[in-house]
Each structure stands twice: as C-alpha cells, then as structure tokens.
Amino acid sequence: MQMQTVKSKKLIIIPAYNESESILKTIEMVKKAAPDYDYIVINDCSKDNTREILVRSKVPYIDLPINLGIGGAVQTGYKYAADNGYQIAVQIDGDGQHDPGYLKAMEKAMADKGLDMVIGSRFIENEGFQSSRLRRLGISFFSRLIRLCTGHTITDPTSGLRMAGKKAIDLFTVNYPKDYPEPETVVFAIIQGCRIGEVPVVMNERQGGVSSINPAKSIYYMVKVSLAILMARFSMK
Amino acid sequence: MSITIRIILLLAIGGYFVILWSLLSKKQLTLKYTLLWILIGILLFVLVLFPQILAVISRLLGFQENMNALYVCLIGFVYILLVSLTAIDSKQSEDIKNLVQENAMLEKRVRELESRLEEKTIG
C-alpha cells in the first residue's frame, strides 16, 4: 500500500463516475506528465467496477457512499486538499478528456500573474476537440453572461480542467454547487475576490463513459446555470 | 357562508388539531417543523369563527362569496407551507452531502490506518 505524503503540496483531484474504461489511462497520464503531484480519485458511487479497479491498482481514492454528482465529488477533493494542507489543487476529469501535460503551463500562469485560479480553455486558440456547435453556443452564452455580470472575460467557463490556489480551495470547501458547477463557481470566485486567468489547452474527445449532460438535460442545464450565475452575482454574501 | 358550512369547517379544523396532537405526542412529528402547521390551523380557525374578516377580504378582492376569500387564504397558506418544506429539504440535502463527504474522507483514513497496522503486525 503506497502512503501518500504531503511533501509536494500539490493535488490532482480526479472525479470518477462509471469510468472503469478510462480511469487507469487517466492515472497513467497523470503519473507521467505530473510526477510532482499527489493525486486522488473521488469515486462518486460508480455503478460499474471503478472501485474494484482502484483497489486492485492501489490508486489512492475516496469512496463516496452516496452519489453526490460532479459538484459534490469535486468539492470532496477540495475539502481533502484543505484538510491536508495542499497549496494547489487541480481538477482533471476521469474520462481522459484533459491532458495533465498542461499543468505546468497552468502552474506557471498562476505563479507569474499571481492568480488564485487558472482555467484550461479550449477557446483561446480554438484547437482540438471543440465540442458540438450547439454546446459552443451555450458556452459562449455563459461567457457573455459572466462578462455582463462581472466584467471579466472567461472564454471557457464550462471547462472542467481548472487549478485552484489556497484562496480558491478554501472558498470551494464552503460553497460548491452539486450539479453543473463550473460556470457558477467561476462567478462565485470572482465575486469573492479571486483572480482568475485562462491558459489555452487542447482537449481530447472522451475515451469512455458518457457525458453528464444529455440533450434532455440541456434545457435544465441552461436555465439552472444562467440563474445560478445571476444569483451568484446579486446575492450578498 | 352558511352556518352549516362553518360548523363543518370548525369540526374539520378540530379534527386536524387532534391528528396533529396525536402525531406530536407519538413523536412522529417534530414540534419544530409542526409549528407552521399549527399556526395555519389557528389562522383558519379564526377565519371561520369570525367571517367578518373574510367579508373584508372579499370586499377588497371583489368576491361575491366569503368562501372564495377562504379559498384564496388557504392556497396562500399551502404555498407558504410548500416553500418551507423545500427550504427544509434543501438544508437536509446540504447536510447529507457534507456528512457523506466527511464520512468518505474518514473511511479513507481508517482504510490507510488499518493497512499500516497490518504492515506493522506482519513486519
């Protein structure tokens, strides 16, 4: 059993729901590209054998006894990071969409510009897998709404590839929505005084599993996230 | 509103309080979450006992029948109750999420401590 020490103070959070096909590939990528990071898989009560794979491969994991959804899973990672004194926590999806090779660039941007949070954006250089046209439309709508609400330009507010510093980690431990958390947390972080930047990344198409957003849910997604952004902007905290 | 309807309504409200009381005494309801139901029962009781209040509401809203004013009040009460239920539910779901997260992090610690203990006893 490998014990993780907290000497590196940098943590990769890998939320996983039914990712048995791709979780080990993702972890291999992480180990190779970011050896100076600790990593932890948050198994969000997967119905497939994700947990068995994690146990067998001696991967450090937290096993949620109830399915909390992506937000609850990622927040568990941030809480774990805060509890264990990590200075940097970065979220990488378990489905192989995110290339951990970008962590260095993100870390550099964070240090150079004194940022509290860095987002890996598909839409700065518009390379690689760009998602469907309809989704891009939704994303640019959120981007505009966020600019309207905060004055900040975030080109890829739905990106799940994001790095948080101490300030953002502490914020996310107290407030993180359960479903579709990405755009809302960006606004929340900006309102709470976090400095946010973006780094261009290329994303792969997912290697296995299914996206958490199907067509039937997209209307709910648009309405809920739009309202959440407005709420985050106008509620006094 | 005829006297017959008023008597029936008063009896019904009485029955409502009997049910509330028996559930409360059997601890099947928590007083904290029943206060709003009791308050609404009392308001309904007052409205039926003193229909003059309903008459005022009817005049303000332009109803012919006091009964309609009673309906409007009832619907308002039900809405308030439903919103309060959703608020309770939201809080509980947030509490459960926090518990689940804490529990899962503890489980990881226990798991690691156990395996470390095992290594020690074997080694």
Side-chain angles (χ1 to χ4, degrees):
Chain A
M1 180 89 198
Q2 70 192 82
M3 266 316 142
Q4 285 206 313
T5 50
V6 192
K7 55 174 185 285
S8 68
K9 296 287 181 191
K10 293 187 283 189
L11 179 72
I12 294 174
I13 301 164
I14 309 170
Y17 179 64
N18 296 347
E19 304 284 10
S20 60
E21 292 166 42
S22 52
I23 189 74
L24 286 183
K25 256 182 269 173
T26 305
I27 288 163
E28 279 314 308
M29 277 161 65
V30 161
K31 276 190 192 164
K32 205 182 289 174
D36 52 334
Y37 279 75
D38 291 339
Y39 60 93
I40 186 138
V41 176
I42 316 291
N43 177 32
D44 192 11
C45 207
S46 294
K47 293 197 195 85
D48 64 359
N49 60 342
T50 301
R51 185 172 166 274
E52 283 70 42
I53 291 174
L54 296 173
V55 173
R56 208 180 325 124
S57 317
K58 298 199 189 315
V59 172
Y61 69 91
I62 290 176
D63 197 37
L64 296 176
I66 293 175
N67 179 272
L68 292 183
I70 178 72
V74 169
Q75 190 187 34
T76 311
Y78 284 121
K79 284 185 175 178
Y80 178 81
D83 282 0
N84 292 282
Y86 286 100
Q87 299 299 314
I88 285 179
V90 57
Q91 169 190 340
I92 289 186
D93 282 358
D95 58 13
Q97 276 193 92
H98 301 148
D99 181 356
Y102 291 112
L103 296 191
K104 279 203 179 66
M106 293 171 81
E107 223 182 302
K108 191 170 180 306
M110 202 160 185
D112 290 354
K113 296 178 195 158
L115 301 174
D116 300 301
M117 186 173 163
V118 179
I119 299 170
S121 168
R122 288 161 284 183
F123 307 116
I124 294 176
E125 295 182 348
N126 293 314
E127 279 176 44
F129 178 58
Q130 292 279 301
S131 195
S132 70
R133 181 179 300 205
L134 206 61
R135 279 195 193 175
R136 280 207 305 279
L137 202 71
I139 292 166
S140 82
F141 170 74
F142 288 141
S143 187
R144 269 176 220 161
L145 188 61
I146 289 173
R147 189 163 53 218
L148 200 70
C149 287
T150 67
H152 288 68
T153 304
I154 306 290
T155 59
D156 197 354
T158 62
S159 167
L161 177 62
R162 35 182 63 194
M163 180 177 279
K166 194 83 192 79
K167 183 172 180 180
I169 291 173
D170 288 343
L171 272 182
F172 294 157
T173 58
V174 282
N175 192 336
Y176 210 82
K178 272 185 199 162
D179 53 355
Y180 313 133
E182 289 85 7
E184 187 180 338
T185 44
V186 170
V187 176
F188 175 63
I190 293 173
I191 302 295
Q192 296 291 325
C194 282
R195 307 217 293 164
I196 301 183
E198 286 183 299
V199 160
V201 301
V202 173
M203 284 192 196
N204 311 310
E205 235 170 314
R206 55 173 49 252
Q207 300 187 343
V210 276
S211 167
S212 55
I213 302 166
N214 61 39
K217 284 185 190 159
S218 54
I219 301 223
Y220 168 75
Y221 178 92
M222 292 304 297
V223 172
K224 193 241 162 183
V225 174
S226 302
L227 270 176
I229 290 172
L230 292 171
M231 290 287 304
R233 177 63 189 90
F234 295 107
S235 65
M236 290 294 140
K237 283 227 168 126
Chain B
M1 219 162 46
S2 75
I3 192 77
T4 330
I5 289 180
R6 286 176 62 200
I7 290 170
I8 291 171
L9 284 174
L10 285 176
L11 284 175
I13 293 168
Y16 166 80
F17 275 114
V18 170
I19 292 170
L20 277 188
W21 175 253
S22 84
L23 289 175
L24 272 170
S25 57
K26 277 187 274 178
K27 304 267 180 218
Q28 284 173 3
L29 284 177
T30 317
L31 188 56
K32 179 180 167 167
Y33 297 117
T34 316
L35 282 176
L36 194 56
W37 291 92
I38 294 173
L39 179 72
I40 284 170
I42 293 171
L43 286 175
L44 280 177
F45 181 76
V46 170
L47 286 179
V48 176
L49 207 61
F50 305 103
Q52 303 91 309
I53 306 172
L54 287 175
V56 172
I57 298 172
S58 289
R59 209 170 52 240
L60 284 173
L61 297 179
F63 294 143
Q64 301 280 322
E65 278 286 333
N66 284 349
M67 202 63 194
N68 288 338
L70 189 65
Y71 283 140
V72 167
C73 290
L74 251 174
I75 290 169
F77 293 157
V78 169
Y79 261 92
I80 291 168
L81 267 170
L82 286 178
V83 170
S84 105
L85 284 178
T86 307
I88 293 165
D89 175 75
S90 302
K91 183 179 180 299
Q92 287 190 339
S93 120
E94 187 67 18
D95 289 349
I96 290 171
K97 183 196 77 180
N98 288 331
L99 272 176
V100 165
Q101 291 173 331
E102 282 301 318
N103 184 77
M105 287 193 284
L106 278 175
E107 189 270 341
K108 179 181 188 290
R109 279 180 66 187
V110 170
R111 189 178 353 117
E112 285 176 353
L113 285 172
E114 274 180 344
S115 75
R116 218 185 290 176
L117 206 65
E118 232 168 72
E119 273 169 24
K120 243 184 204 165
T121 39
I122 294 168

